[in-house]
Amino acid sequence: EQPLIKLKPQRTSSRELVNLDGLWKFTLASGVNDTSQPWTAPFPRGSLECPVPASYNDIFVDRDIHDHVGWAYYQRDVFVPKGWSKEQYFVRAESATHHGRIYVNDRLLAEHVGGYTPFEADITDFVTAGDKFRLTIGVNNELTHETIPPGKIEIGEGTGKRIQTYNHDFYNYAGLARSVWLYSVPRQHIEDITVVTDVEGETGLVNYKIKVASNSTEQIKISVIDEDGVVVANSSGAQGTVKINSVKLWQPGAAYLYQFVASIVDSRGKVVDTYSVATGVRTVRVSGSKFLINDKPFYFTGFGKHEDTAIRGKGHDQAYMVHDFQLMDWIGANSFRTSHYPYAEEVMDFADRHGIVVIDETPAVGLNIGLLGVSGGEAPKTFSQDNINNNTQKAHEQSIRELISRDKNHASVVMWSIANEPASQEDGAREYFEPLVKLTRELDPTRPVTFANVGLATYELDLISDLFDVDCLNRYFGWYSETGDLEEAEIALEKELRGWEKKFNKPIIMSEYGADTIAGLHSTLALPWSEEFQEQMLDMYHRVFDRLESMAGEHVWNFADFQTTVGTMRVDGNKKGVFTRDRKPKMAAHGLKARWTNITASR
Ligand code: GCB
């Protein structure tokens, strides 16, 4: 059985890597009944060209492309390097939102549902080394009640056109928003590596497990190399524990990474394949109401983020990535949540290298039909045959498997969040979530598990929180309720938090709190939407947090303004950013900086 997600392609002495980013030809399927098969021929001369990586929606000045529902196709020619005749080679797409297909010439070679995790096609038997082939990738952005995230396709009454609706508050960007690779591995190669670290006194333990393609009789050799390039430990075998004496721990704000290098070595001592995993040695544990990293209480400061920038949409961009981490450092943020889907793997690697702590979330957002007022007068039934059902749960299960398969080795990842704001107060929530929590723990017994709880599912109404390790709460007292009245809001917030504290005695992280704020709008009365209101509202929350024993962290919603679907509640997107969409600080940024740098310094 193959690992769900193969190791991120890497250039090593045994592996090669060709980046396929750049301009691809681009076209849309004309409708659901479109029977043309655009992958069977080169796209016509004069076709549109679309950059990869980027979401396609905002690239063109064309409302039909922006609002398109269905398949879109990207195409380019690719050469397989001529030196690869003895190798096995793959095309890998880091993401295709939400359903992707890889065609090599006329042939469909891979298909994958789930928009934020990689998939790949083994093309070895279909293209000879040295030859050129036509690579077409189809991407479909449709969401239904049985996908993760869920959505619904409505039919325009007058036009008959299809309209994608959904219950989540960010734009349904689509396309190839992350890199595409062509890469080679030796026929006999390492398919998967799992490392789990532990600490005993001064000794670091790296428990590892390696999966090799084909039942080779070759040896597996391990070496662990420190940041100075010194080999600090050796071992052999497909499974075991390597010990690092006088270990340097991976710490929040002070990353230290060892290279865990695994090699397949043949009987003559020749290295057949080698792969290296950047490994931070650290432990994570919840004890009472404390979240412990390396057995020390950790207090999360930071944000729920989005992959979102102008023009690129969700396209991964190195400049924005580095700048965002710079801003987090500037403001004293020690952590973030990958709200509301797994982020590009480059982001996870960066967090590992820079000591930023991550709560890693699945794309299960919007499992809540009552939230957007869709339910009319009747009690909403989110968990039912016509809405979130067994097939949705299967898709959710798959999203958990893929997230853990991809991100399990990241030291930065200290907790899994398996959903955002599900209707956890509704009938059926427990039956739906219990098996998912169990699965998460089976797949990774080492990390705490959480979900982000919605305001409606108060400590009295929520039906699932006892299944989890940490109470992550999204609350908008002063914004969606007690709007503009921070005195009322303060009382309501404190009551709610004390309720959770008393009932569960677990660490509480305020995983969302914030106010829409128009940069440049000012108000001496600190009325909603002004920069003054955002600042005063955050201050109010902080006063309450500081009165509670169980608070283990605060993530403001959101790091930056971001795009949403059009609607009467949003002006060119959600404006709860502490930074604007182009990453300029709003007034509240300075108060956060003062508070968070102080919190970090005092720990
Ligand atoms: C939430 C959601 C988040 C929204 C936010 C808001 O609770 O988790 O996705 O963007 O509220 O601003 O309404």
Side-chain angles (χ1 to χ4, degrees):
E1 193 198 342
Q2 292 208 331
L4 215 45
I5 293 187
K6 296 241 191 141
L7 294 166
K8 185 169 188 254
Q10 202 172 75
R11 195 174 281 117
T12 71
S13 58
S14 58
R15 296 169 171 236
E16 291 193 52
L17 185 55
V18 178
N19 183 272
L20 301 182
D21 295 352
L23 290 175
W24 293 46
K25 286 194 216 156
F26 181 77
T27 190
L28 299 179
S30 60
V32 252
N33 300 323
D34 186 350
T35 53
S36 67
Q37 303 190 323
W39 57 92
T40 57
F43 293 1
R45 282 182 55 206
S47 296
L48 290 172
E49 296 184 58
C50 191
V52 174
S55 306
Y56 61 72
N57 309 77
D58 292 349
I59 299 290
F60 306 99
V61 186
D62 185 333
R63 194 64 200 267
D64 289 339
I65 297 178
H66 180 264
D67 298 346
H68 177 67
V69 181
W71 287 99
Y73 296 95
Y74 291 76
Q75 189 179 75
R76 60 165 286 168
D77 287 336
V78 178
F79 273 99
V80 175
K82 65 178 186 322
W84 288 12
S85 56
K86 297 222 168 60
E87 311 299 301
Q88 191 173 355
Y89 33 94
F90 301 83
V91 170
R92 168 159 166 140
E94 295 291 347
S95 78
T97 16
H98 299 278
H99 177 174
R101 287 182 178 152
I102 299 177
Y103 301 89
V104 167
N105 298 323
D106 288 359
R107 213 183 259 265
L108 173 65
L109 287 188
E111 177 153 19
H112 177 258
V113 176
Y116 303 96
T117 34
F119 68 111
E120 49 190 56
D122 182 349
I123 67 166
T124 318
D125 296 338
F126 303 93
V127 192
T128 308
D131 280 2
K132 183 170 86 168
F133 68 98
R134 188 174 63 247
L135 174 60
T136 310
I137 301 186
V139 181
N140 186 304
N141 62 352
E142 293 173 35
L143 297 173
T144 74
H145 67 106
E146 294 181 341
T147 58
I148 292 291
K152 191 174 175 192
I153 295 169
E154 321 244 11
I155 306 295
E157 253 182 60
T159 57
K161 76 175 175 205
R162 302 192 320 142
I163 303 160
Q164 179 72 63
T165 63
Y166 37 93
N167 293 343
H168 54 267
D169 185 35
F170 56 94
Y171 190 71
N172 186 38
Y173 279 116
L176 297 176
R178 298 178 189 161
S179 288
V180 180
W181 306 97
L182 172 70
Y183 76 98
S184 75
V185 296
R187 296 272 169 173
Q188 278 196 357
H189 62 268
I190 295 163
E191 277 197 320
D192 198 21
I193 300 176
T194 308
V195 296
V196 172
T197 65
D198 206 345
V199 181
E200 260 171 23
E202 302 290 296
T203 308
L205 307 180
V206 183
N207 302 300
Y208 71 90
K209 209 171 163 179
I210 292 166
K211 236 188 131 302
V212 171
S214 82
N215 37 0
S216 66
T217 49
E218 269 72 13
Q219 264 224 32
I220 292 171
K221 294 241 158 119
I222 308 297
S223 54
V224 177
I225 301 171
D226 73 10
E227 287 191 354
D228 296 323
V230 178
V231 177
V232 293
N234 283 303
S235 178
S236 60
Q239 195 167 343
T241 301
V242 196
K243 291 189 176 175
I244 306 172
N245 295 327
S246 312
V247 68
K248 291 203 182 76
L249 297 181
W250 187 96
Q251 305 271 19
Y256 192 94
L257 293 175
Y258 293 91
Q259 293 302 323
F260 176 92
V261 184
S263 305
I264 303 178
V265 180
D266 73 12
S267 49
R268 284 161 301 159
K270 191 172 152 271
V271 172
V272 179
D273 186 28
T274 181
Y275 191 94
S276 171
V277 178
T279 303
V281 179
R282 56 107 185 90
T283 63
V284 180
R285 198 157 60 83
V286 168
S287 169
S289 64
K290 299 280 177 246
F291 193 98
L292 305 175
I293 299 182
N294 298 326
D295 281 330
K296 283 197 290 254
F298 179 72
Y299 191 87
F300 295 77
T301 60
F303 303 95
K305 284 190 96 253
H306 263 302
E307 292 187 309
D308 175 275
T309 60
I311 302 168
R312 304 160 186 78
K314 296 205 169 302
H316 175 67
D317 182 286
Q318 304 280 30
Y320 269 96
M321 176 182 76
V322 173
H323 191 61
D324 282 6
F325 276 93
Q326 285 283 310
L327 291 176
M328 286 194 280
D329 184 52
W330 172 82
I331 206 169
N334 60 20
S335 57
F336 66 95
R337 174 169 61 120
T338 71
S339 40
H340 296 308
Y341 37 82
Y343 290 1
E345 278 190 84
E346 289 87 341
V347 176
M348 312 309 286
D349 290 339
F350 200 91
D352 283 348
R353 289 198 298 275
H354 295 272
I356 299 293
V357 169
V358 180
I359 301 173
D360 205 2
E361 189 159 277
T362 69
V365 53
L367 280 60
N368 201 329
I369 60 161
L371 254 198
L372 298 186
V374 208
S375 59
E378 279 171 48
K381 282 205 167 52
T382 296
F383 302 99
S384 60
Q385 197 44 42
D386 297 341
N387 290 304
I388 303 303
N389 64 22
N390 288 343
N391 291 334
T392 330
Q393 193 192 33
K394 284 265 167 314
H396 196 158
E397 210 181 286
Q398 183 70 6
S399 76
I400 293 171
R401 287 183 190 281
E402 293 192 5
L403 176 69
I404 295 178
S405 172
R406 196 194 73 165
D407 288 351
K408 62 190 171 186
N409 292 333
H410 289 287
S412 57
V413 175
V414 299
M415 179 153 64
W416 306 113
S417 166
I418 66 167
N420 183 70
E421 300 198 343
S424 61
Q425 79 287 14
E426 286 186 31
D427 283 350
R430 200 173 174 88
E431 291 73 7
Y432 180 91
F433 274 100
E434 205 162 7
L436 296 180
V437 178
K438 190 164 164 259
L439 173 72
T440 311
R441 294 193 192 286
E442 273 165 24
L443 294 171
D444 180 6
T446 70
R447 287 179 180 88
V449 184
T450 191
F451 77 103
N453 161 288
V454 67
L456 292 172
T458 62
Y459 70 94
E460 288 165 301
L461 298 178
D462 173 272
L463 300 171
I464 64 172
S465 283
D466 60 302
L467 302 169
F468 295 82
D469 302 301
V470 172
D471 293 325
C472 280
L473 306 178
N474 298 352
R475 290 297 180 274
Y476 289 93
F477 298 105
W479 187 255
Y480 291 122
S481 61
E482 301 83 29
T483 310
D485 186 343
L486 294 181
E487 275 179 277
E488 279 297 334
E490 181 161 351
I491 294 165
L493 171 65
E494 183 153 1
K495 176 168 176 272
E496 172 73 357
L497 288 180
R498 292 208 184 277
W500 284 91
E501 177 163 76
K502 190 147 175 269
K503 185 162 175 187
F504 294 106
N505 185 36
K506 287 179 188 168
I508 299 175
I509 298 172
M510 185 61 54
S511 41
E512 286 185 23
Y513 62 113
D516 281 274
T517 305
I518 303 293
L521 183 73
H522 291 283
S523 162
T524 49
L525 301 177
L527 296 176
W529 296 93
S530 69
E531 296 205 30
E532 285 79 2
F533 184 74
Q534 185 181 38
E535 187 171 50
Q536 291 188 19
M537 178 166 162
L538 298 181
D539 283 348
M540 179 278 276
Y541 274 72
H542 298 151
R543 279 198 300 279
V544 176
F545 299 165
D546 293 345
R547 293 198 287 266
L548 271 108
E549 268 298 298
S550 307
M551 289 311 292
E554 50 196 63
H555 278 174
V556 174
W557 190 257
N558 185 282
F559 172 73
D561 293 347
F562 58 92
Q563 197 50 268
T564 63
T565 193
V566 290
T568 50
M569 304 250 292
R570 300 283 179 256
V571 186
D572 190 29
N574 186 309
K575 300 290 188 219
K576 294 193 184 72
V578 167
F579 297 94
T580 59
R581 203 180 190 204
D582 61 352
R583 276 51 175 177
K584 301 286 194 301
K586 297 181 191 171
M587 232 169 70
H590 303 282
L592 282 171
K593 177 174 168 60
R595 175 177 169 82
W596 288 349
T597 43
N598 191 27
I599 287 179
T600 312
S602 68
R603 274 156 219 265

